[in-house]
Amino acid sequence: MTANLSRRGFLKTAASATAVLYVGATADGVAVAAGNTDAMLNPFVKIGSDGQVIAMIKHFEKGQGPATGLSTLIAEELGVSMDQIGYEFAPSNPEVYNNLFFGPFQGTGGSTAMANSWMQYRTAGANAREMLIKAAAEAWGVDASGLDIQNGMVTGAGQSAPLGTFVEAAASFAPSETPRLRDPSEWKIIGNEATRRLDSPIKVNGQAQFGMDIHLPNQMVVMIKRTPQRGGLVAGFDDSAAKEVKGFIMAMPLPTNHGVAVYAENTWAAMQARAAIEVDWDMSGAEARSSAEIREGVMAALNTAPVYNVNKADQAAITSAVDASAKVLEKTFYFPLLAHAPMEPMNCTIEQTAEGDIVLHDGAQMPTGPHMAFQQIFNLPADKIHIKTLLAGGSFGRRATPEADYQVEAALAFVMTDRSRPVKLVWDREDDIRGGYYRPATGHKVRVGLDADGNIAAWEHQVAGQSIMKGTPFEAVAVRDGIDNSTVEGLADNPYAIPNMSVGLTDTEKATSVLWWRSVGHTHTAYVMEVMMDMAAQASGRDPLEFRLAYLSGDDADSQRKAGVLKLVAEKANWGNPAPGNVQGLAVHKSFGSYVAEVVEVSGTPEDGIQIEKIVAAIDCGIAVNPDIVRAQTEGAIGYGIGHAMREKITLDGGAVEQSNFPDYEPLRISDIKAIETHIVPSAEAPTGVGEPGTPPAAPALANAIARLDLRVAELPMVEQGVSFA
Amino acid sequence: MFSCQMSVGDVDGADVTTIEGLSPDGTHPLQKARVAEQVPQCGYCQSGHIMRAAALLSDNPNPTRDEIKEEMSQNLCRCGTYNRIFKAVERAASQA
């Protein structure tokens, strides 16, 4: 199999057309290029003379919806229906398909796929429309201003013809730098409740192709015999027993000595052979701590003066102000390591073409990462390395490691061969849970002073945890003055108008490896902020909704939008009036540019079992390009937050991860949440994040409901803090 | 049954239906209901969920919500599409 990428792939797709119009967009998202020649290899939309319209999707699809959402933008501006557009995942090219929020780097993350692409894809679609219309106007001898494209037909001045008719002529025009974008009043697909996902049909009939589905002719399967303690190195190994396994090919230590690569004819043989290999590990530099020791390190850091003053507050004055308050609320929180545990474990496949090019088949979340690493590993220029992006079976952050961990592993396994056979690297679930990357273990210590009227007088906040960014290639851009914002995001920058707030930070030693995990720092900062706000409201004898709104009374957009989702969720959840026997909890948080409020209503008791009866959410994410995907993502993000808060944690014993698979790392189950609904605040603002913002408020809303049953949970998971679930 | 927990030898001589064979053109009521309710997100677990639901409906064409919960709780979805799975099974049952 040769590289079905870049130009060859495009021409193949457009094989039935006699001419193709390619329209691109440069990195600034405005200026565009077009043409039907070989010079235009990396378009955003390509239109064949047969009328076929293909949107090129620069983000990977893990279920969050960019294949549909970005196609929607092209279809809307061009003037075709969703039935008339298809999509392909873009090749790796950080200059053309970069994430506009990340710099010259192609990647998906931080809930930015729609937010960074919003103007870029609309501009590309609008340019294609204008060029086709100009060609039609010339052909018909009429004024272009009277023409439009609707449902794939160029229409006006008493004429009508399929848009493909004008592709050849349109391709000779120079594109405009400022094409007219359709006015929101013209939108038929954006914001339409009836707009369906383009990838649903293939996901219900077995046609969807994930990385794990790749089966190239003559491929070998490689699994890695991994160190039980992160950082262990191979000192020696014995594969004599593996040689008895049918289908075993060979075993070799990775050049990094981080494991032994086991090559086999198929996955089952690789699993059996790997189990039969004995490895002598050098654990002198390996992680050896237990979870209890990691927790002690965090707690010790919270009990000393913070190293970093995050918001440059006068910390001594704020400590004094808290001390002098009429009432002081003090709470210490702890959040354990968590695994991402996407349904599809890590995997990717590498092959070399007859021309010596390297092709990576991967559910690639950050193509630029492996693309750069492969240039070094294979000593090839960038244009000799191709990444074919496949559907990904979830990620939650896991597929985007700064060091491109599993792709590099596969490349190292491949370079040790003669490259005549493709190599498919397969992780199993146990590899993923034990040898992967974790949400950092983090602690917070908060002291809130209330005045005699129950208002917040001062707020002293200290965080201790492992920095995600330090020690990675992202440190230079993500760490400022020693402060990794991903540890403290959502605290000092919270829209609440909290007076006299100090935020301190101390980094603790990294345990095993840490990584962004759906909503990153907000997973713990939102919990602490919203539980403390709830405690403050309780201590003041005030309604939690009214109390929060009092700190969102400013006329700035941040305050208004955060208050807006609170008011909407309160109305939709019938706040203050739960069903008989039930209690409600409320939380709200801004993350990734969006605002989400949630009400969790539960029945039962912590002793006999809590049942989550209903969760109602309200989200303000700017323009909801696809309202149903916004709802689906919010539902999923809530479930992700709730499931982990209920009962999930990763623990270490002597440096080794104790969990291995879903029986001991039990995710959310179908019975855990009886009902869930999401309401969207109408907005004319540009789209902001959707994949993650639903997660942060979910756990604190549940905790605040349980607090109404006289149990305040400040450490997760809840099942270890006296909460049982029905 | 879970294909990952069954060896091929154990189904020797039996008829086996996988997601690819559920319908020739993706029009089984469960497939149509999954699209109508926009269930799949990443989609990786969906084949298993659909086949589990197909087995349920072939034994019990009109399951209660508790019966759906009981049967479908054997499968996991990390994207959290559970409440839509309920709706899709109920929709398929009503239209089968």
Side-chain angles (χ1 to χ4, degrees):
Chain A
M1 183 167 174
T2 56
N4 184 19
L5 287 161
S6 62
R7 183 166 61 90
R8 269 169 290 174
F10 297 164
L11 295 178
K12 184 182 168 190
T13 302
S16 64
T18 55
V20 182
L21 171 64
Y22 298 108
V23 180
T26 55
D28 61 11
V30 180
V32 295
N36 63 352
T37 69
D38 288 357
M40 185 61 211
L41 299 184
N42 294 303
F44 279 63
V45 57
K46 48 186 182 178
I47 305 167
S49 55
D50 57 355
Q52 187 184 29
V53 180
I54 300 290
M56 299 301 293
I57 308 302
K58 69 176 187 175
H59 290 285
F60 92 138
E61 176 68 77
K62 55 184 164 179
Q64 84 282 30
T68 304
L70 302 186
S71 298
T72 297
L73 304 183
I74 297 284
E76 186 74 83
E77 288 294 344
L78 179 57
V80 299
S81 72
M82 289 298 277
D83 295 335
Q84 295 170 316
I85 191 166
Y87 68 89
E88 292 174 15
F89 293 113
S92 172
N93 185 327
E95 301 303 321
V96 176
Y97 296 119
N98 57 321
N99 184 319
L100 300 181
F101 292 173
F102 289 0
F105 194 94
Q106 185 177 351
T108 302
S111 298
T112 60
M114 177 56 72
N116 93 90
S117 306
W118 167 242
M119 292 300 291
Q120 190 175 37
Y121 276 72
R122 290 172 71 203
T123 302
N127 243 314
R129 182 189 73 240
E130 290 199 344
M131 293 160 76
L132 290 165
I133 283 176
K134 185 177 175 189
E138 287 190 4
W140 293 338
V142 300
D143 192 300
S145 64
L147 305 183
D148 193 10
I149 304 177
Q150 296 287 348
N151 291 316
M153 300 293 287
V154 187
T155 305
Q159 307 258 19
S160 184
L163 57 77
T165 311
F166 307 104
V167 158
E168 190 165 3
S172 66
F173 298 141
S176 163
E177 288 195 7
T178 53
R180 185 189 76 84
L181 299 179
R182 291 191 189 274
D183 186 81
S185 63
E186 298 175 62
W187 290 348
K188 293 179 174 174
I189 318 172
I190 293 173
N192 189 333
E193 292 284 347
T195 303
R196 307 281 81 178
R197 291 183 70 115
L198 292 178
D199 57 351
S200 291
I202 59 167
K203 287 178 174 175
V204 302
N205 67 6
Q207 285 180 3
Q209 290 291 301
F210 299 89
M212 202 64 99
D213 294 319
I214 288 289
H215 193 94
L216 301 179
N218 203 32
Q219 76 178 18
M220 293 188 284
V221 171
V222 168
M223 297 186 81
I224 309 294
K225 181 89 173 182
R226 296 171 193 284
T227 167
Q229 294 162 246
R230 183 100 182 169
L233 297 173
V234 177
F237 71 100
D238 177 0
D239 63 354
S240 51
K243 288 171 179 162
E244 304 301 314
V245 174
K246 187 185 170 199
F248 170 71
I249 298 170
M250 60 181 172
M252 286 193 283
L254 288 170
T256 56
N257 279 325
H258 283 121
V260 176
V262 182
Y263 300 75
E265 296 293 340
N266 54 63
T267 307
W268 179 236
M271 286 178 169
Q272 289 180 299
R274 183 174 67 164
I277 288 174
E278 299 285 338
V279 179
D280 179 20
W281 295 105
D282 171 6
M283 294 295 192
S284 56
E287 174 64 61
R289 288 174 296 168
S290 68
S291 299
E293 287 171 274
I294 291 166
R295 186 180 182 284
E296 283 164 18
V298 170
M299 291 301 168
L302 290 178
N303 287 323
T304 54
V307 170
Y308 302 108
N309 183 342
V310 173
N311 62 339
K312 307 287 182 279
D314 184 342
Q315 292 176 321
I318 287 168
T319 301
S320 299
V322 172
D323 290 341
S325 298
K327 187 184 277 186
V328 178
L329 306 173
E330 183 169 336
K331 204 79 180 167
T332 300
F333 298 81
Y334 185 73
F335 303 88
L337 297 170
L338 291 173
H340 308 76
M343 193 58 85
E344 180 193 17
M346 299 305 105
N347 67 86
C348 63
T349 304
I350 299 179
E351 63 178 324
Q352 181 168 291
T353 68
E355 297 82 22
D357 289 16
I358 293 293
V359 182
L360 170 69
H361 305 262
D362 181 24
Q365 180 159 359
M366 286 188 175
T368 301
H371 206 145
M372 290 170 68
F374 281 22
Q375 290 172 57
Q376 290 190 338
I377 293 170
F378 295 103
N379 193 25
L380 285 173
D383 63 357
K384 298 282 279 180
I385 294 162
H386 313 277
I387 298 179
K388 187 165 174 54
T389 296
L390 296 148
L391 294 171
S395 169
F396 316 114
R398 174 61 186 89
R399 286 176 206 280
T401 55
E403 61 273 37
D405 69 305
Y406 68 92
Q407 296 100 334
V408 165
E409 212 170 59
L412 294 177
F414 187 62
V415 293
M416 291 196 293
T417 71
D418 66 5
R419 307 191 192 182
S420 64
R421 301 182 67 179
V423 161
K424 179 179 183 179
L425 174 80
V426 175
W427 289 44
D428 62 12
R429 180 87 51 219
E430 286 75 10
D431 288 332
D432 208 28
I433 301 280
R434 287 186 173 144
Y437 292 77
Y438 307 103
R439 192 276 301 268
T442 309
H444 292 235
K445 184 175 171 183
V446 190
R447 294 171 73 236
V448 175
L450 300 176
D451 67 18
D453 297 324
N455 299 309
I456 296 170
W459 183 302
E460 184 183 12
H461 201 128
Q462 197 174 338
V463 185
Q466 305 141 330
S467 166
I468 294 170
M469 302 294 185
K470 287 184 179 178
T472 77
F474 294 122
E475 177 169 351
V477 290
V479 177
R480 289 272 182 275
D481 300 329
I483 298 165
D484 180 347
N485 188 56
S486 74
T487 316
V488 293
E489 57 191 356
L491 297 176
D493 56 346
N494 199 297
Y496 285 134
I498 294 172
N500 303 317
M501 185 179 196
S502 69
V503 177
L505 168 67
T506 301
D507 294 327
T508 56
E509 195 182 338
K510 288 198 182 189
T512 183
S513 54
V514 293
L515 184 65
W516 34 68
W517 183 98
R518 196 175 195 169
S519 80
V520 200
H522 299 284
T523 61
H524 49 90
T525 61
Y527 190 93
V528 176
M529 288 301 296
E530 287 304 291
V531 165
M532 291 308 301
M533 289 296 279
D534 201 65
M535 286 174 62
Q538 237 179 353
S540 308
R542 287 161 67 179
D543 175 73
L545 172 66
E546 178 273 322
F547 187 83
R548 284 174 171 80
L549 289 172
Y551 292 92
L552 297 167
S553 59
D555 55 10
D556 58 296
D558 240 11
S559 299
Q560 294 285 305
R561 294 177 75 180
K562 190 166 170 180
V565 292
L566 273 171
K567 290 171 184 170
L568 181 60
V569 83
E571 175 201 330
K572 298 296 184 182
N574 204 11
W575 171 254
N577 296 293
N582 293 358
V583 292
Q584 294 172 318
L586 173 67
V588 61
H589 195 72
K590 178 193 179 186
S591 60
F592 309 97
S594 295
Y595 307 77
V596 182
E598 295 166 17
V599 170
V600 173
E601 184 163 329
V602 307
S603 62
T605 64
E607 298 76 30
D608 298 330
I610 297 281
Q611 172 68 54
I612 299 172
E613 297 289 338
K614 189 175 189 181
I615 301 179
V616 180
I619 180 170
D620 178 349
C621 57
I623 292 161
V625 173
N626 188 306
D628 194 65
I629 292 179
V630 170
R631 272 194 290 274
Q633 282 300 296
T634 305
E635 292 162 11
I638 289 170
Y640 202 72
I642 292 284
H644 289 86
M646 287 169 69
R647 54 184 169 243
E648 287 172 58
K649 65 170 185 175
I650 290 292
T651 55
L652 305 183
D653 180 16
V657 174
E658 295 183 290
Q659 292 73 28
S660 65
N661 205 323
F662 290 141
D664 51 19
Y665 191 76
E666 188 184 0
L668 188 81
R669 307 298 293 263
I670 199 168
S671 53
D672 287 327
I673 300 172
K674 275 193 179 172
I676 188 167
E677 62 184 51
T678 301
H679 302 274
I680 301 169
V681 175
S683 175
E685 300 291 328
T688 47
V690 168
E692 294 168 275
T695 296
L702 174 60
N704 291 339
I706 292 171
R708 296 299 173 280
L709 303 169
D710 297 324
L711 182 64
R712 183 59 77 178
V713 181
E715 185 160 343
L716 298 177
M718 292 177 172
V719 291
E720 296 190 354
Q721 301 297 317
V723 183
S724 64
F725 289 94
Chain B
M1 55 199 62
F2 292 104
S3 62
C4 56
Q5 294 177 358
M6 180 77 48
S7 69
V8 171
D10 293 337
V11 294
D12 186 24
D15 288 332
V16 176
T17 304
T18 66
I19 186 69
E20 291 82 2
L22 188 60
S23 70
D25 51 3
T27 56
H28 184 282
L30 273 165
Q31 292 171 315
K32 291 200 303 191
R34 291 258 160 175
V35 173
E37 297 291 347
Q38 292 284 281
V39 178
Q41 289 185 29
C42 87
Y44 198 75
C45 73
Q46 294 293 320
S47 299
H49 270 108
I50 291 169
M51 297 312 292
R52 171 77 50 197
L56 167 67
L57 293 185
S58 80
D59 292 343
N60 179 0
N62 289 297
T64 64
R65 189 158 262 247
D66 278 347
E67 287 169 338
I68 295 171
K69 184 168 78 180
E70 168 122 14
E71 185 70 13
M72 299 309 296
S73 68
Q74 299 174 74
N75 289 57
L76 296 172
C77 168
R78 290 293 285 157
C79 297
T81 66
Y82 293 128
N83 67 314
R84 291 176 184 236
I85 288 172
F86 272 123
K87 290 178 188 170
V89 175
E90 288 170 344
R91 176 188 281 259
S94 71
Q95 295 177 356

